[in-house]
Amino acid sequence: MQLRRISRLALLLCLTLVSCLPALAQDAPVKHGRKYKAPPATSHIEVTVLKKFNGKPISNAAVIFDATMDGKDQGNLEVKTDPDGKAMIDIIPTGSTVRVQVIATGFATYAEEYQVTEPSREITISMIHPQEQVSSYQDNEGKAATRKPGVQEPIRPTPPATKPATPAPAPQTTPQQPPPNTSDTTPKQ
């Protein structure tokens, strides 16, 4: 009888232990998959593109954002300006270096790097007409532009125009009269 009692007690103890295992397992940390990493804080950047000579906005200009953070490329994105000349982006990580490049038809391309450390940044860009190209192989300091702004075409020397050869005037000839006839075949009387 005592054996039955021990076996019942052992069975009861086993059932209690088995029923408590799921509760104990919930408290243990689960290490499945990757640890969640919150995305970095982002900054709101608003770029306004204007014409320098009259201050009016340029619509449909391409504004390219190229971000790098700690030497790692964060990607780039192109946004077109609206009719007010504004382009906005909200996904640039705070603390990154952003190269802003603006391309607009009829204007010189603009590019500048900005350090984005604040949560919101406004940038105003005044676009100018294309200027003469400069060379990194020669000193361009203090040189005045010798060509007008606009599309830069190479200056090609033109050969001096040659005058077409005029034909020599033909010698003037007067109608010749037949020489007087010395032999007269008519009989003389």
Side-chain angles (χ1 to χ4, degrees):
M1 202 142 158
Q2 202 168 21
L3 192 57
R4 272 188 183 182
R5 198 178 219 195
I6 293 177
S7 65
R8 282 185 189 169
L9 188 58
L11 183 60
L12 185 62
L13 190 60
C14 285
L15 287 175
T16 307
L17 185 62
V18 168
S19 65
C20 291
L21 281 178
L24 292 175
Q26 289 178 356
D27 293 337
V30 178
K31 296 185 179 180
H32 297 291
R34 294 183 183 177
K35 183 179 178 184
Y36 174 73
K37 183 178 178 184
T42 59
S43 296
H44 173 80
I45 300 175
E46 182 176 315
V47 177
T48 305
V49 182
L50 304 172
K51 297 175 185 175
K52 185 171 185 172
F53 61 91
N54 64 4
K56 291 186 178 178
I58 300 174
S59 64
N60 205 27
V63 181
I64 302 163
F65 298 92
D66 188 11
T68 57
M69 187 171 191
D70 300 327
K72 295 181 183 175
D73 186 24
Q74 299 294 316
N76 56 23
L77 184 69
E78 178 181 335
V79 180
K80 295 284 187 170
T81 56
D82 62 9
D84 297 328
K86 294 186 184 285
M88 292 174 254
I89 191 167
D90 290 328
I91 60 172
I92 301 294
T94 304
S96 62
T97 302
V98 180
R99 174 173 288 247
V100 177
Q101 184 177 9
V102 181
I103 302 171
T105 304
F107 293 93
T109 301
Y110 172 87
E112 187 71 35
E113 285 191 0
Y114 296 93
Q115 187 69 31
V116 181
T117 56
E118 59 273 353
S120 182
R121 179 126 191 209
E122 291 184 10
I123 301 170
T124 302
I125 298 171
S126 296
M127 301 291 284
I128 59 173
H129 289 291
Q131 301 295 314
E132 183 178 7
Q133 295 176 357
V134 295
S135 172
S136 62
Y137 297 106
Q138 54 184 309
D139 182 25
N140 297 302
E141 195 65 34
K143 283 188 179 177
T146 57
R147 295 178 4 206
K148 295 180 182 177
V151 177
Q152 300 297 310
E153 293 290 330
I155 298 175
R156 295 186 178 98
T158 55
T162 57
K163 294 182 181 179
T166 54
Q172 288 189 348
T173 57
T174 55
Q176 291 196 0
Q177 297 175 355
N181 196 356
T182 54
S183 63
D184 198 5
T185 55
T186 56
K188 285 189 184 180
Q189 293 182 357

